[in-house]
Amino acid sequence: MAKNNFTHALGEVLKHEGGYVDHPSDPGGATNLGITIGTLSGWLGRKATKAEVKALTVAGVTPIYRKNYWDVVRGDDLPAGLDLALFDFAVNSGPGRAAMTLQTILGVAADGKIGPITLAAIAKHSASLLINELCSHRLAFLERLSTWPTFGKGWSHRVASVRAEALSMAQSPPREVAPQVPGAQPGSAPPERGRAPTIIIAAIVLAALVAAFFITQVRF
C-alpha cells in the first residue's frame, strides 16, 4: 500500500488549486489553495473571513487536506496511483461522491464510505484499470454540471493530468532491494561460489605431478 504518498499527492492537488480566488460562478465562494471559506469555517469551528482565507499557507492547509480528504478516502490503504486519483476527486467534488463513484465501479454498496468491503474489492482489481475508470466517471460527472461551460476546460486538463500521474505511480516498479545471504551482514562479501571447483582442479594437478615424479624415479 501507499502509506507515504500523501505529501506527493497533496503537491499534485495544489498544482491545480492555485492561490486565492473568489469567482462569482464558483459556488464554493472565496477559495485559497483549494480550501473554500466554508471548509475553513468548518475546520475553525466558526465562520471564517475572506481575509483568513487569503492568509492560508501550504503548512496551514496540509492538516485540513489530510484529515478532511486523504484520511476520509483511506489514502494510506489504497494502491499507489489510485490514492492520488481518489484524493483529487474528493478534493474537487467531495469525499462522499468520490467514494461512491469508486464503489459503483467496483460493484459494491455505494455508501460513500471506504471500508473493509471496498478495500477487499479494490485488491481484486488492477490499480491502473480502476484509475482509468474512476477518471472517466469523474469527467462524465463534471460534464453534466451547469458550471461546465465556465470551468470545463480547466477541469478537463486537471483530470487528464491526474490520470497521467496516477497511472505513472501505479506502473512504477517497487524499489529493488539486493537479496541478502542468510546469516550475512549487509554489505558483506558474497560467498565464493568458484572456490570448490578451484580446489578440485588444484588437487588433480597436484596428483598428476606426484604421479609423474614417481614414474620418473622408476624409469631411472
Side-chain angles (χ1 to χ4, degrees):
M1 295 305 161
K3 293 184 178 181
N4 299 319
N5 280 351
F6 171 70
T7 300
H8 177 69
L10 179 57
E12 292 298 315
V13 167
L14 293 179
K15 285 180 183 179
H16 304 288
E17 291 296 349
Y20 180 80
V21 292
D22 191 9
H23 198 289
S25 298
D26 187 349
T31 304
N32 190 13
L33 298 172
I35 300 300
T36 66
I37 192 168
T39 298
L40 182 59
S41 295
W43 181 258
L44 297 175
R46 59 171 174 79
K47 187 174 181 178
T49 66
K50 290 186 178 182
E52 288 176 311
V53 175
K54 284 185 178 181
L56 286 173
T57 63
V58 173
V61 302
T62 295
I64 301 176
Y65 274 112
R66 176 176 277 282
K67 184 176 180 180
N68 286 12
Y69 302 99
W70 181 265
D71 289 347
V72 174
V73 299
R74 302 283 294 270
D76 284 342
D77 299 315
L78 300 176
L82 183 60
D83 51 4
L84 168 61
L86 192 63
F87 175 52
D88 191 75
F89 192 171
V91 169
N92 199 198
S93 302
R97 183 176 300 281
M100 286 190 289
T101 301
L102 178 59
Q103 290 169 328
T104 299
I105 294 169
L106 292 168
V108 299
D111 60 2
K113 298 178 180 179
I114 305 296
I117 294 176
T118 303
L119 292 175
I122 289 172
K124 297 177 182 179
H125 295 77
S126 158
S128 295
L129 173 65
L130 293 178
I131 290 166
N132 274 318
E133 287 291 315
L134 185 67
C135 289
S136 295
H137 279 70
R138 175 185 178 184
L139 189 59
F141 161 71
L142 292 171
E143 290 173 344
R144 295 192 295 269
L145 296 179
S146 61
T147 48
W148 175 260
T150 303
F151 301 109
K153 184 176 181 180
W155 286 339
S156 293
H157 172 73
R158 178 171 182 163
V159 174
S161 177
V162 168
R163 186 198 297 262
E165 179 61 22
L167 288 172
S168 176
M169 292 169 66
Q171 294 165 5
S172 295
R175 183 175 64 87
E176 293 187 4
V177 179
Q180 295 294 323
V181 179
Q185 295 298 319
S188 61
E192 299 181 26
R193 296 182 180 178
R195 178 176 294 175
T198 301
I199 293 175
I200 293 173
I201 293 173
I204 293 173
V205 172
L206 179 61
L209 291 173
V210 171
F213 173 78
F214 280 110
I215 290 173
T216 303
Q217 294 299 316
V218 171
R219 185 174 296 176
F220 294 96

